[in-house]
Amino acid sequence: MIAELTIKNFAIIESLSVSFDKGLTVLTGETGAGKSIIIDAIHLLAGGRGSHEFVRFGEKRAELEGLFLLEDEKHPAYRICQELGIEIEDEMVVLRREIHATGKSVCRVNGKLVTIALLREVGQTLVDIHGQHEHQELMDPDLHLSLLDQFGGAAVQKELKEYRNIYSSFKDVEKRLLELTENEQKVAHRLDLLEFQAEEISNAQLTVNEEDELLEERNKISNYERLYQSLNNCYHAMHGEQKGLDWVGQAMSESEGLEEIDKNLKDVHEIISNSYYQLEELSYRIRDEIDQLEFDPNRLDFIEGRLNEIKQLKRKYGTTVAEVLEYASKIEEELETLQNRDSHIHQLQESLESLKQDLALEAKSLTDARRKASEKLMKSIHKELKDLYLEKAIFDVNMDVKKEKVSRDVVFGKNGVDVVEFYLTTNPGEPLKPMAKVASGGELSRIMLALKSIFSRHQGITSIIFDEVDTGVSGRVAQAIAEKIYQVSVDSQVLCISHLPQVAAMSDTHLFISKEVSGERTKTKVRGLDQDEKVREIGRMISGVEITSLTKEHARELLEIAGSIKQG
């Protein structure tokens, strides 16, 4: 749900901060007070198209910020933010957008800079805005399949998952087959390239640890003089008259028998003796190292050449020798496939045909699950339409199989073979037509509410906003719309701009939007209404300017009716 909205220098709003609660929040006020501007701000905050014209006159930029609370850890915003590298802490998402007078927009999600497109991707999972004249997503046939799948729940999702598993294998085999059946010239070029690469790596006769060993040997040869001098000095420091070993040997002799005088000195002779023999053994080893040392400039040239050869191979085929050898193994497999191309094509064709048959079976199971879901959906929608006094309307889920235009072969897609579009007729005797082409005016509002009543429970949208969707209705239809909007708010937070007293009476929170002139500038204000203020405002909505005791009584009656509906 949207918990808080902050607006600065946006249209006629200088500075405004509004907190929202769960349930149904109704926004009312005089025409031009700024109700729709608040909805416009949320729309832009969720990634809608903006314009520098929204910036308050005389200011450099408009600032919008919204705090959204996510109560469900499976909310789609988590997945999208994770893909974008955005952390969600304490189940909160903060959207921020700055619109500059130059037309530039700066967008952030939880403090991270994003493009407007990415802001929209996150925002669409948080806010669903419905205006009186907009073509909503519910009217978009491209989205009807996913809406049906959402409504179908676990039964459809299970079949869809099984279908996609086989579809993934099918597309993989199809891709490999396509690569093998490409034109002869391209295959020949690929074969030549792979043969050259395989031969180049093979001739190099690489071993995994060779490079490290060569680097160590190069370092040793390059520092020959320093190594020889140091080893020689070490040896002569230990060997010879009055040198290291002589003095340690003398200490060993002097320490012999000390334990007979002082038991605490028992280990002195042993330690000195061990040190003497260790140093003596080490000096022999140093002498052997000196004898084996030799400077071979030809060997150094060979090492440099070999290291350069390895470097060139790494530049082409991998960052390490291990990766180069792994690449060689990979192209050997591809070479074998290309060299035995006809045999592999035959195997892949058989595999593809087998997968296609499995895919057709899974597609049928998926279609059957969708048909069952569509029947339940039609019954649910008809009930909702009846509640909104559209009992004559007929809603239908039109399902067809997608086929190639020329061959008429079934087209297997990521989501199956089904093409789904919602059809509707509102007048008896008229044929069913695509929903977007049938509904208009007050009917559109009721149809949209009927659909939203069903789909809001399955879409996971945090907040739903209705912007004057009840225009053009009255009487029992107005009461039905009010009740339906309230029903939607049971499963999702709903913000609603309305001119209907019946809708205002159903609200859990009633916000009054007003404007005042301060100096020479107009400012918009928002305040929550208590029960008495709510009675007066509903009375104003009923009668217009003059509020009489009768209109107040009527307002209280509407509130009592609304209270009983909520409880029952």
Side-chain angles (χ1 to χ4, degrees):
M1 57 172 274
I2 181 170
E4 188 171 320
L5 175 67
T6 301
I7 304 172
K8 290 183 179 180
N9 300 323
F10 185 76
I12 64 172
I13 298 177
E14 180 182 27
S15 180
L16 186 66
S17 183
V18 189
S19 296
F20 298 100
D21 294 319
K22 294 180 179 180
L24 174 59
T25 297
V26 172
L27 293 79
T28 67
E30 296 287 355
T31 301
K35 301 185 295 296
S36 292
I37 294 175
I38 294 174
I39 303 305
D40 288 340
I42 298 175
H43 177 66
L44 291 175
L45 196 57
R49 289 186 178 181
S51 168
H52 68 279
E53 295 177 359
F54 282 111
V55 180
R56 184 174 167 84
F57 179 74
E59 301 294 339
K60 293 182 179 180
R61 68 176 183 268
E63 299 177 19
L64 309 172
E65 188 170 78
L67 169 63
F68 294 84
L69 304 181
L70 306 180
E71 299 178 354
D72 184 359
E73 61 182 14
K74 295 181 180 180
H75 194 283
Y78 278 98
R79 175 185 57 79
I80 295 174
C81 286
Q82 185 178 19
E83 292 173 357
L84 298 177
I86 298 171
E87 292 187 8
I88 296 180
E89 296 181 356
D90 300 324
E91 301 178 333
M92 295 189 298
V93 174
V94 177
L95 304 185
R96 180 176 175 83
R97 183 170 181 179
E98 297 176 4
I99 302 173
H100 292 251
T102 58
K104 181 181 71 173
S105 279
V106 179
C107 309
R108 288 181 172 86
V109 177
N110 279 1
K112 182 173 180 176
L113 282 169
V114 295
T115 63
I116 292 178
L118 294 179
L119 178 70
R120 185 183 306 116
E121 192 173 346
V122 176
Q124 285 178 344
T125 69
L126 301 172
V127 182
D128 188 10
I129 301 176
H130 294 267
Q132 181 184 359
H133 303 295
E134 295 175 2
H135 288 289
Q136 309 302 333
E137 66 166 11
L138 295 175
M139 302 295 177
D140 185 353
D142 292 336
L143 299 175
H144 290 176
L145 178 64
S146 63
L147 288 171
L148 177 62
D149 287 350
Q150 288 171 14
F151 177 81
V156 173
Q157 294 303 322
K158 175 178 176 291
E159 297 296 340
L160 182 58
K161 182 179 179 180
E162 292 178 359
Y163 170 87
R164 282 179 175 172
N165 287 338
I166 297 178
Y167 178 77
S168 177
S169 300
F170 176 81
K171 294 302 289 184
D172 181 56
V173 172
E174 189 178 56
K175 180 183 176 182
R176 286 157 55 197
L177 182 59
L178 181 63
E179 290 171 351
L180 280 180
T181 53
E182 288 175 326
N183 65 72
E184 293 285 344
Q185 187 179 30
K186 189 173 181 179
V187 172
H189 287 168
R190 180 66 178 167
L191 193 58
D192 287 344
L193 174 64
L194 293 179
E195 286 176 342
F196 169 79
Q197 292 177 341
E199 184 177 3
E200 184 178 31
I201 298 173
S202 176
N203 290 341
Q205 297 182 332
L206 296 174
T207 57
V208 174
N209 297 321
E210 180 184 9
E211 186 178 21
D212 292 336
E213 293 170 356
L214 288 173
L215 288 169
E216 185 178 346
E217 187 178 358
R218 183 181 69 175
N219 184 56
K220 184 176 177 181
I221 296 175
S222 298
N223 294 280
Y224 169 80
E225 291 185 8
R226 178 185 171 190
L227 181 62
Y228 178 83
Q229 189 67 39
S230 296
L231 288 174
N232 200 48
N233 290 340
C234 286
Y235 180 75
H236 287 293
M238 288 187 287
H239 261 288
E241 191 174 342
Q242 298 297 306
K243 297 295 177 68
L245 280 172
D246 246 9
W247 288 107
V248 176
Q250 184 178 339
M252 182 173 62
S253 299
E254 293 292 339
S255 64
E256 190 173 3
L258 286 177
E259 64 176 299
E260 297 175 1
I261 301 171
D262 187 346
K263 292 182 179 180
N264 291 328
L265 302 176
K266 179 180 178 181
D267 60 338
V268 171
H269 177 72
E270 183 179 349
I271 293 172
I272 294 175
S273 297
N274 288 339
S275 299
Y276 177 83
Y277 292 122
Q278 285 179 348
L279 286 170
E280 186 178 46
E281 184 179 348
L282 182 61
S283 70
Y284 295 151
R285 178 185 167 190
I286 292 173
R287 184 189 62 195
D288 293 340
E289 289 286 344
I290 293 171
D291 292 342
Q292 291 175 13
L293 279 178
E294 61 177 329
F295 178 74
D296 184 355
N298 293 329
R299 177 62 181 173
L300 185 60
D301 289 342
F302 169 79
I303 291 172
E304 292 289 359
R306 182 61 173 168
L307 286 172
N308 185 62
E309 182 182 10
I310 293 172
K311 180 181 178 182
Q312 294 302 319
L313 289 170
K314 283 163 56 179
R315 184 177 63 84
K316 292 180 181 180
Y317 308 119
T319 57
T320 64
V321 171
E323 286 185 9
V324 174
L325 292 173
E326 184 180 347
Y327 179 79
S329 176
K330 182 180 176 182
I331 62 175
E332 284 291 344
E333 293 179 10
E334 189 176 349
L335 265 173
E336 192 277 329
T337 300
L338 292 177
Q339 288 166 348
N340 299 280
R341 181 164 162 255
D342 292 339
S343 172
H344 281 282
I345 287 175
H346 180 69
Q347 291 176 6
L348 287 172
Q349 286 174 335
E350 288 185 341
S351 179
L352 191 67
E353 187 57 35
S354 176
L355 284 169
K356 193 173 183 179
Q357 292 176 9
D358 293 341
L359 200 58
L361 291 173
E362 290 298 337
K364 184 180 182 304
S365 297
L366 178 57
T367 298
D368 291 343
R370 282 172 173 158
R371 289 197 183 280
K372 290 179 181 178
S374 68
E375 290 172 4
K376 292 180 181 179
L377 176 61
M378 286 187 285
K379 289 180 181 178
S380 298
I381 294 294
H382 283 141
K383 181 181 181 301
E384 297 292 335
L385 291 172
K386 184 178 180 181
D387 292 343
L388 290 165
Y389 299 102
L390 283 171
E391 58 274 358
K392 301 295 185 181
I394 299 175
F395 174 85
D396 183 60
V397 179
N398 184 57
M399 289 185 62
D400 200 357
V401 175
K402 188 175 183 180
K403 295 182 179 180
E404 294 282 0
K405 290 184 179 179
V406 179
S407 66
R408 305 305 296 165
D409 290 337
V410 173
V411 177
F412 293 100
K414 181 182 178 181
N415 297 312
V417 299
D418 303 312
V419 179
V420 171
E421 185 170 5
F422 298 157
Y423 274 52
L424 184 76
T425 180
T426 56
N427 299 308
E430 292 296 318
L432 286 161
K433 293 181 181 179
M435 191 167 62
K437 298 179 180 180
V438 175
S440 62
E443 285 182 345
L444 178 60
S445 300
R446 285 183 280 168
I447 291 165
M448 182 272 297
L449 272 175
L451 294 171
K452 182 52 65 178
S453 298
I454 298 298
F455 290 119
S456 63
R457 303 166 198 156
H458 304 274
Q459 288 179 297
I461 299 292
T462 301
S463 302
I464 299 170
I465 298 173
F466 296 126
D467 186 5
E468 300 188 16
V469 297
D470 49 23
T471 300
V473 297
S474 59
R476 63 176 189 171
V477 174
Q479 182 61 39
I481 285 180
E483 293 177 21
K484 197 60 63 180
I485 290 176
Y486 175 75
Q487 287 175 16
V488 174
S489 74
V490 172
D491 296 298
S492 301
Q493 179 196 45
V494 172
L495 310 181
C496 180
I497 292 178
S498 179
H499 294 288
L500 289 179
Q502 292 92 336
V503 174
M506 292 296 296
S507 66
D508 298 307
T509 304
H510 192 147
L511 299 179
F512 181 72
I513 317 297
S514 61
K515 65 179 179 180
E516 63 178 31
V517 177
S518 177
E520 297 181 353
R521 301 301 300 269
T522 302
K523 296 181 180 179
T524 294
K525 289 188 174 182
V526 179
R527 64 185 179 88
L529 301 183
D530 60 27
Q531 190 66 15
D532 289 338
E533 291 172 327
K534 195 171 181 179
V535 169
R536 285 196 297 272
E537 174 60 10
I538 293 174
R540 182 194 65 79
M541 297 172 73
I542 293 171
S543 64
V545 178
E546 187 177 353
I547 303 174
T548 66
S549 57
L550 184 61
T551 55
K552 286 185 179 180
E553 189 62 34
H554 190 185
R556 290 191 185 92
E557 185 181 359
L558 279 178
L559 287 168
E560 289 176 4
I561 292 171
S564 63
I565 291 172
K566 290 180 181 182
Q567 292 176 0

